[in-house]
Amino acid sequence: MPGRRRVSRLGKNRDYRLLWTGQVVSEAGFSTAMIAFPLVVLAITGSAAQSGLVVGAVAIAQLVTGLPAGALVDRWPRKRIMLGCEAVQAIAAAGLVLALWWGKAGVGLLVAVAVVMGVCRALFEPAEEASLPRLVPSEQVPAAVALNAARTSAGQLSGTALGGFLFALGRFVPFVFDVFTHLFAFVALLFVRLPDRTTAAARPPAHLGREIVEGLRWVWGQPRLRVTTFCVVSLNLFFSAYYLVIIVLANDRGMPSGEIGVMAAMLGAGGILGALAAPYLHRRISPYLLITGVFWALTVLTPLAIFVHNGYLMGLLFAAIAFLPPAANTAIGTYQLLNTPDELRGRLGGVLGVTGGLAAALGPAFGGWLVDAFPGPPAVLVCAGAIAVVTVVTAVNPTLRGFPAASEPVEVTAATKPE
């Protein structure tokens, strides 16, 4: 089958394989550190509020620096940015290990390390995304986008599982693991041959603020980019709210904490399986049907939680819900990458990172408000109703209905000289 040959070629792409392998390890290290941060703060201060401050510092730093980071990604060599981010994170984590070993770590240092991690992620993610069309042929970009999503889910699952275990061995042990994961990713990146960007050298850099505005205008001025960004933001916002509502509902119904943990794990497993299936679905179903189909399926599935009183059955529902979005995200991400000029891809990633991050941050707050205002099943229905409204908007949107088929060719400028 043609699809199988494409996946095989992607698997044999040495440079993509090096990048993917390094980043799945790096993602596991980051997730391990994110579990360890609040545990360390609680052990040092006993303050839950200060634990939240440290964990929140990562997301806040990533949001605040997201737009400038995207502009810098379009200005600087992207491979050097990625190498620098891995090196800086390894150094920051190593410093924290030494401070914990000597008993000198305080909340201020933990916040500083968290901020460094957030800034590095704000730079690394758009740099990697913008590099993808230059690392793999355009027909393999959908598979690469989907495998990157599977990589992120796998790294988060493994890191979350490891974090508590390593912390039990010692406060500094999770961060030792984090150091080695970033060093591993750094070495893997050294051997990645990333084609040079001739367009970046052809134009002198403008004022950073003007470059940020240029990126915002580009995204807003492209109807298909605008509507697909709306789809992603809406999905992140309402699903993160729905997730919190379901966790609270499960707790109120007396589900054991072990079953709730299984629910969360099955959500991640469903996402991984969905990401693996996404390239196959992307090749056979039009982007319009993929995107609207996901929203229609969520509209049908999300209210079913009202009738489920068993944690394992709820986990199956979570897995089914999480299985669907990666295919739509693959269609959206592929179109956005291949239809954005290379010199603007970093800023595209910065805009998407900030909007997606805001949605992910506001979603739990919205879910918490729903739980307080409409306790129990009504909160589920309100959340499902919001998803239904977005579903109708996407289904009738003329721009989305005219979305190009996955088989339509997209020209991408390719270079041969490595950075």
Side-chain angles (χ1 to χ4, degrees), residues 285-299 324 328 391 394:
I285 304 175
S286 73
Y288 170 74
L289 289 178
L290 273 180
I291 296 168
T292 55
V294 165
F295 278 103
W296 279 116
L298 292 178
T299 300
L324 301 169
T391 299
T394 56

Side-chain angles (χ1 to χ4, degrees), residues 128-281:
E128 183 192 15
E129 291 169 4
S131 301
L132 205 57
R134 306 187 70 80
L135 202 61
V136 303
S138 58
E139 70 271 13
Q140 295 177 3
V141 168
V145 169
L147 286 176
N148 281 3
R151 178 196 76 195
T152 300
S153 297
Q156 289 173 348
L157 272 179
S158 59
T160 301
L162 273 173
F165 170 75
L166 294 178
F167 183 81
L169 300 177
R171 295 179 185 178
F172 63 92
V173 177
F175 301 102
V176 172
F177 177 73
D178 191 34
V179 171
F180 281 105
T181 61
H182 291 303
L183 290 176
F184 179 88
F186 179 87
V187 173
L189 268 168
L190 282 176
F191 294 95
V192 173
R193 296 168 299 193
L194 182 61
D196 198 6
R197 295 165 55 233
T198 55
T199 54
R203 188 181 70 172
H207 185 275
L208 187 63
R210 287 198 294 272
E211 290 182 341
I212 293 172
V213 171
E214 183 182 5
L216 290 169
R217 284 177 176 168
W218 165 258
V219 175
W220 183 255
Q222 304 296 314
R224 287 172 180 164
L225 287 182
R226 195 167 63 238
V227 72
T228 51
T229 300
F230 167 78
C231 291
V232 172
V233 169
S234 301
L235 192 61
N236 286 343
L237 175 68
F238 292 121
F239 184 75
S240 56
Y242 176 79
Y243 177 76
L244 180 65
V245 168
I246 296 305
I247 294 298
V248 174
L249 181 65
N251 184 69
D252 290 344
R253 287 176 172 176
M255 290 186 191
S257 58
E259 290 188 15
I260 294 177
V262 169
M263 286 166 47
M266 292 181 74
L267 177 71
I272 294 174
L273 293 175
L276 294 176
Y280 176 88
L281 297 173

